[in-house]
Amino acid sequence: SSRPLTPDPPPSRSDTYKGWLFKWTNYLKGYQRRWFVLSNGLLSYYRTQAEMAHTCRGTINLATAHIDTEDACNIVLSSGGRTYHLKASTEVERQRWVTALELAKAKAIRMMNDQSGDEEPTSQSDRSEIQGTLKILVSKLDDLSTCNDLIAKHGAALQRSLSELEGLKVPVEGGEKIKAVNERATLFRITSNAMINACRDFLDLAETHSRRWQRALQYEREQRTHLEETIEQLAKQHNSLERAWREAPTLVSSTPRSERSRKEEASDEDEDTEYFDAMEDSPAFITVTASENTQHRSMSPSCNDVSGKELQPRRQRRTHIPDKPNYSLNLWSIMKNCIGKELSKIPMPVNFNEPLSMLQRLSEDLEYHELLDKAARCDSSLEQMCLVAAFSVSSYSTTVHRTAKPFNPLLGETYELDRLEEFGYRSLCEQVSHHPPAAAHHVISQRGWTLWQEITIASKFRGKYLSIMPLGAIHLHFHASGNHYVWRKVTSTVHNIIVGKLWIDQSGDIEIVNHRTKETCQLKFSPYSYFSRDVPRKVTGVVADSGGQAHYILSGTWDEKMESSKIVQSSRGGSGSEGKQKTVYQTLSPKLLWKKYPLPENAENMYYFSALALTLNELEEGIGLTDSRLRPDQRLMEDGRWDEANSEKQRLEEKQRAVRRRREAEASDALDEGMKQRTGSYQPLWFHQRRDSITGETNFVYKGGYWESKDRQDWSMCPDIF
């Protein structure tokens, strides 16, 4: 006889608990339905109930396991380097499983301690403390019982009222809603009863086994300390090895075949080939991997190998900055009066900043510049599009932990990133407008490409979250082929402004167009959802030719990696979840396009900066007088002198306001005197406005002169903004 999909509540004396859960397998297949059995302190799982007789797919010992809950329906179990990411169908089902797991774990620890020898007598003070705690628990349990009686009484009355309403003649829709409310009321009563019973069981356990629990707790503390020390040593060794590998000369051009995520490494399941949904919404399609004779994992030979220039020794740059001080300040106390306002108009202390300006954050887009170097060597424009798409996604990888706000640049502030000798490119940013804040960016590379953009940041505080919308097009031109790509950025959202830990999500669609060949790439950044079975931060995409024929499927996450799969065949498939017909693509094995570099050692105390970000504010010789590295409040903040930085920030902002008032007065005087030109309007130093022939928009583009001024060391034209 088969069991129901939802497991029954665990009986208080039962040793076995069974039911269906969804288990994370890998990025291709996501969560898969598996049959789980909890017995004698061990959690085992099978593909089907029938497999219980012969094939166990994996087992975790709960005595040494850590049980964690990520969100409403998720459970994470980890023990001895093995991790299971599980998901229940409903929140109630998840809670039943957690209760069963916690009880089984407590029993397993109890049995382990019983076998470890006689108990040590507890002191009189410990005993009295335990008795006092138990008294409080008994009192609280009485309170809960009273509440339970009231809930039962009011719940019964509510259900009677709802039943009477169901009997009335109401429209069909109203009847359905009443029925749904009735079901929820029933579920609420069941849950509250289960909670009281769980509290009573817990009190019994606490009373019976308090001393053994103390010993178990002490043992766990010692083990945890030992594990933390071991993990810390391993993490340091791992970071050092990864850094050494990344900085070593690249002698092997092919990428290692095994590129598995942390979750995939945690899964010990040998999965067979299965169909999987690559994108749920638009465009709707299914892909299946075709068998291959060859196992090459890099892009095809049309993207030539790295040139010998990569082997030149690089200049040593800094690898750390002063640790972030532990200042406490309530973000809500400042932002509660700013709901609906532009973020750029909210006066914020440096406590919520990171010691980089928006111009430097913009320059961070170049962290994975080697993707563009490789794309420039591609003969195939479709393969080049895959690499350009991976580059557009890679610019978000640094944002996953970066919840602090960059400094708003002052009008006329610049930032140069001169990596000509090391990587063949030079980058220049200038703040060209203050309200709305807009920055112009221009990059020229000796390795065959030019990138330019003007980005205006529109941001709104919505109460619970903050929306950041970068407006403006990004242009990328490859010198040899003449391919010209244009795309725009997606919306970033900062969640938990009021309460909880801040976290960032990226959502929306990116369309990348090659205006020479009319080839396109549609990328979809899926917003995070508690109820989705998809991997978080998922990005999927399709690369198509000018006729709309799909050639590559792109998949991955914006914080970790992107892969491309070449389509070998497509056909119309069955209906999807909403009745829409899906296209079935048969593809070759996925090939790695991009993978995120590991964060530097101690990054959590250095604003979660990447290796590149740590170097951005490092002082350099010969830079322009308006460069962000010379901004005093930002420098003081990096040095940990936040009080001085706040005072300096106010001084700089007041100085900027005085300059603006003087400029507006001069413009007004010029108009009064009948002069034709508005001599008082602000003109950027290194960029000028031109109409773009492709987008039709008027943008600030680089007019030249900066690098020549740097070579001459003539900065006499620079305004005094600091």
Side-chain angles (χ1 to χ4, degrees):
S1 62
S2 62
R3 291 183 59 86
L5 193 140
T6 303
D8 298 324
S12 56
R13 297 286 174 257
S14 173
D15 287 335
T16 304
Y17 186 51
K18 304 173 186 177
W20 291 104
L21 286 171
F22 291 92
K23 176 182 175 293
W24 174 262
T25 55
N26 56 44
Y27 272 98
L28 293 182
K29 301 170 192 71
Y31 284 93
Q32 298 289 322
R33 192 165 171 261
R34 297 289 179 257
W35 181 254
F36 280 80
V37 178
L38 175 60
S39 179
N40 296 325
L42 300 175
L43 180 70
S44 307
Y45 75 94
Y46 311 84
R47 284 208 182 166
T48 62
Q49 289 166 266
E51 274 194 350
M52 287 174 65
H54 52 83
T55 308
C56 176
R57 297 283 171 175
T59 301
I60 273 190
N61 185 348
L62 292 175
T64 57
H66 177 67
I67 303 169
D68 195 15
T69 51
E70 284 185 339
D71 57 37
C73 295
N74 279 43
I75 308 169
V76 180
L77 292 175
S78 51
S79 174
R82 180 179 298 161
T83 303
Y84 289 170
H85 293 261
L86 310 176
K87 183 175 283 208
S89 299
T90 65
E91 196 170 347
V92 173
E93 186 186 337
R94 195 281 302 265
Q95 196 51 51
R96 286 172 177 167
W97 270 106
V98 170
T99 304
L101 290 166
E102 292 286 4
L103 289 172
K105 179 180 176 180
K107 188 171 182 179
I109 290 172
R110 209 157 56 240
M111 288 169 67
M112 189 171 66
N113 287 337
D114 285 345
Q115 293 163 3
S116 66
D118 296 325
E119 298 173 11
E120 296 171 9
T122 52
S123 66
Q124 186 63 39
S125 61
D126 283 346
R127 197 175 291 110
S128 59
E129 186 182 342
I130 290 164
Q131 292 302 322
T133 306
L134 287 173
K135 274 186 182 176
I136 295 167
L137 283 170
V138 170
S139 151
K140 294 296 178 189
L141 186 64
D142 288 341
D143 292 347
L144 281 168
S145 295
T146 307
C147 292
N148 186 50
D149 293 340
L150 286 169
I151 288 168
K153 180 183 171 184
H154 294 316
L158 176 63
Q159 280 187 298
R160 278 199 304 276
S161 302
L162 288 168
S163 299
E164 289 167 8
L165 279 173
E166 277 189 70
L168 297 175
K169 288 183 180 180
V170 292
V172 178
E173 189 182 347
E176 288 295 322
K177 286 185 179 176
I178 291 166
K179 191 176 179 183
V181 173
N182 208 338
E183 287 171 359
R184 287 180 186 174
T186 306
L187 185 60
F188 183 72
R189 284 184 66 196
I190 292 167
T191 308
S192 62
N193 281 325
M195 183 182 72
I196 295 294
N197 291 335
C199 289
R200 188 171 281 113
D201 290 345
F202 173 75
L203 189 65
D204 292 342
L205 281 168
E207 221 164 354
T208 313
H209 302 289
S210 56
R211 281 178 294 175
R212 288 177 186 169
W213 279 12
Q214 279 190 317
R215 286 185 60 198
L217 183 63
Q218 183 59 32
Y219 172 77
E220 287 293 330
R221 279 177 180 155
E222 289 167 4
Q223 287 293 95
R224 180 177 172 177
T225 306
H226 176 66
L227 276 171
E228 282 177 347
E229 289 169 358
T230 308
I231 288 166
E232 190 177 354
Q233 288 173 355
L234 280 171
K236 286 178 180 176
Q237 290 170 11
H238 184 257
N239 269 334
S240 302
L241 284 169
E242 289 226 52
R243 226 175 11 255
W245 172 79
R246 184 150 51 88
E247 290 169 2
T250 311
L251 299 176
V252 182
S253 62
S254 64
T255 312
R257 186 176 189 278
S258 176
E259 293 288 356
R260 303 179 68 193
S261 69
R262 289 190 297 273
K263 280 186 177 178
E264 287 183 75
E265 286 166 356
S267 174
D268 55 357
E269 189 169 356
D270 181 20
E271 294 287 346
D272 297 329
T273 303
E274 298 176 23
Y275 289 90
F276 67 96
D277 289 356
M279 288 175 86
E280 198 64 38
D281 299 328
S282 61
F285 60 79
I286 301 171
T287 71
V288 59
T289 307
S291 59
E292 283 185 286
N293 296 326
T294 175
Q295 292 294 338
H296 288 300
R297 301 287 291 179
S298 59
M299 288 296 284
S300 76
S302 70
C303 298
N304 305 317
D305 283 345
V306 176
S307 64
K309 289 178 184 176
E310 294 282 2
L311 304 180
Q312 291 178 354
R314 296 177 186 170
R315 171 186 160 180
Q316 286 297 310
R317 299 188 184 273
R318 69 182 186 180
T319 56
H320 66 275
I321 58 172
D323 283 5
K324 178 182 178 180
N326 188 20
Y327 279 81
S328 62
L329 193 62
N330 185 357
L331 180 59
W332 177 242
S333 65
I334 289 171
M335 298 200 71
K336 64 186 176 185
N337 299 319
C338 306
I339 294 174
K341 289 185 182 177
E342 276 281 347
L343 186 65
S344 60
K345 295 181 180 177
I346 300 173
M348 300 281 279
V350 301
N351 305 52
F352 302 119
N353 285 28
E354 59 180 23
L356 289 178
S357 77
M358 192 65 212
L359 304 182
Q360 290 163 313
R361 280 293 287 269
L362 206 53
S363 304
E364 269 192 85
D365 285 2
L366 300 170
E367 177 146 22
Y368 298 94
H369 61 88
E370 66 271 14
L371 290 170
L372 300 185
D373 297 345
K374 190 174 182 181
R377 298 190 296 272
C378 274
D379 297 328
S380 161
S381 58
L382 288 166
E383 288 186 9
Q384 188 178 72
M385 175 69 89
C386 291
L387 288 162
V388 171
F391 174 79
S392 73
V393 174
S394 72
S395 64
Y396 297 98
S397 65
T398 60
T399 66
V400 65
H401 298 298
R402 301 269 290 278
T403 52
K405 173 182 172 292
F407 278 78
N408 286 332
L410 301 170
L411 189 60
E413 189 173 326
T414 60
Y415 181 73
E416 68 161 72
L417 189 61
D418 192 345
R419 296 290 191 265
L420 196 63
E421 291 181 9
E422 294 145 287
F423 304 120
Y425 71 82
R426 278 178 154 179
S427 162
L428 176 68
C429 293
E430 182 177 7
Q431 187 77 356
V432 294
S433 168
H434 189 59
H435 285 304
H441 185 202
H442 184 269
V443 194
I444 178 77
S445 171
Q446 290 181 339
R447 298 180 187 174
W449 54 271
T450 303
L451 180 144
W452 66 98
Q453 59 182 322
E454 182 198 325
I455 297 293
T456 301
I457 301 294
S459 50
K460 286 281 181 166
F461 177 49
R462 311 286 185 183
K464 289 184 181 178
Y465 62 91
L466 182 71
S467 292
I468 301 163
M469 297 147 285
L471 310 175
I474 302 166
H475 294 258
L476 174 63
H477 179 257
F478 289 102
H479 306 161
S481 63
N483 288 335
H484 187 136
Y485 297 86
V486 179
W487 71 93
R488 298 170 192 273
K489 289 179 177 282
V490 294
T491 298
S492 301
T493 310
V494 184
H495 294 271
N496 286 356
I497 296 290
I498 298 174
V499 67
K501 186 179 179 183
L502 292 174
W503 60 279
I504 286 183
D505 196 21
Q506 316 288 349
S507 59
D509 298 330
I510 292 180
E511 182 183 46
I512 306 173
V513 180
N514 180 345
H515 284 274
R516 189 183 74 82
T517 64
K518 307 303 178 191
E519 293 160 353
T520 61
C521 174
Q522 302 286 343
L523 287 173
K524 179 179 179 61
F525 287 65
S526 301
Y528 177 74
S529 168
Y530 281 121
F531 307 106
S532 171
R533 288 182 187 150
D534 280 336
V535 58
R537 310 182 186 102
K538 182 179 177 183
V539 181
T540 44
V542 180
V543 173
D545 60 25
S546 56
Q549 176 79 27
H551 288 265
Y552 287 92
I553 299 296
L554 305 180
S555 61
T557 58
W558 53 261
D559 67 324
E560 192 167 349
K561 66 175 180 179
M562 286 297 291
E563 295 177 330
S564 69
S565 305
K566 186 174 176 61
I567 297 168
V568 291
Q569 191 178 344
S570 64
S571 59
R572 301 302 291 177
S575 294
S577 57
E578 295 176 7
K580 297 175 185 174
Q581 197 176 34
K582 291 194 173 187
T583 304
V584 178
Y585 291 128
Q586 194 179 28
T587 67
L588 300 179
S589 292
K591 298 172 175 60
L592 186 72
L593 294 171
W594 158 77
K595 187 178 182 186
K596 183 186 176 183
Y597 296 142
L599 284 174
E601 188 179 328
N602 195 39
E604 65 278 6
N605 295 318
M606 298 187 296
Y607 308 89
Y608 286 98
F609 281 178
S610 65
L612 172 65
L614 287 172
T615 69
L616 293 179
N617 209 39
E618 186 176 11
L619 281 170
E620 294 186 14
E621 292 181 3
I623 55 176
L625 303 180
T626 51
D627 196 280
S628 299
R629 297 176 182 89
L630 303 175
R631 182 167 171 165
D633 53 349
Q634 193 172 300
R635 180 65 56 189
L636 286 165
M637 188 202 172
E638 183 183 284
D639 292 339
R641 296 153 65 184
W642 284 17
D643 291 335
E644 294 169 71
N646 274 318
S647 302
E648 192 63 18
K649 184 171 183 282
Q650 289 176 0
R651 181 190 70 80
L652 287 171
E653 288 169 351
E654 184 49 47
K655 180 176 180 177
Q656 180 173 241
R657 283 191 286 270
V659 170
R660 188 180 71 243
R661 286 194 294 269
R662 187 165 65 248
R663 190 165 53 244
E664 288 170 352
E666 288 171 0
S668 177
D669 292 345
L671 283 173
D672 290 344
E673 292 169 13
M675 293 175 67
K676 291 181 181 178
Q677 293 183 337
R678 286 192 53 162
T679 54
S681 62
Y682 178 75
Q683 297 297 325
L685 203 52
W686 310 110
F687 290 80
H688 57 184
Q689 281 190 316
R690 290 292 181 268
R691 187 176 179 278
D692 188 87
S693 58
I694 290 175
T695 64
E697 297 171 353
T698 301
N699 296 322
F700 280 97
V701 294
Y702 182 55
K703 64 182 180 184
Y706 180 89
W707 303 108
E708 292 77 6
S709 292
K710 184 180 180 180
D711 292 340
R712 295 194 309 270
Q713 279 301 291
D714 175 16
W715 301 114
S716 56
M717 72 296 289
C718 289
D720 173 22
I721 60 171
F722 300 138

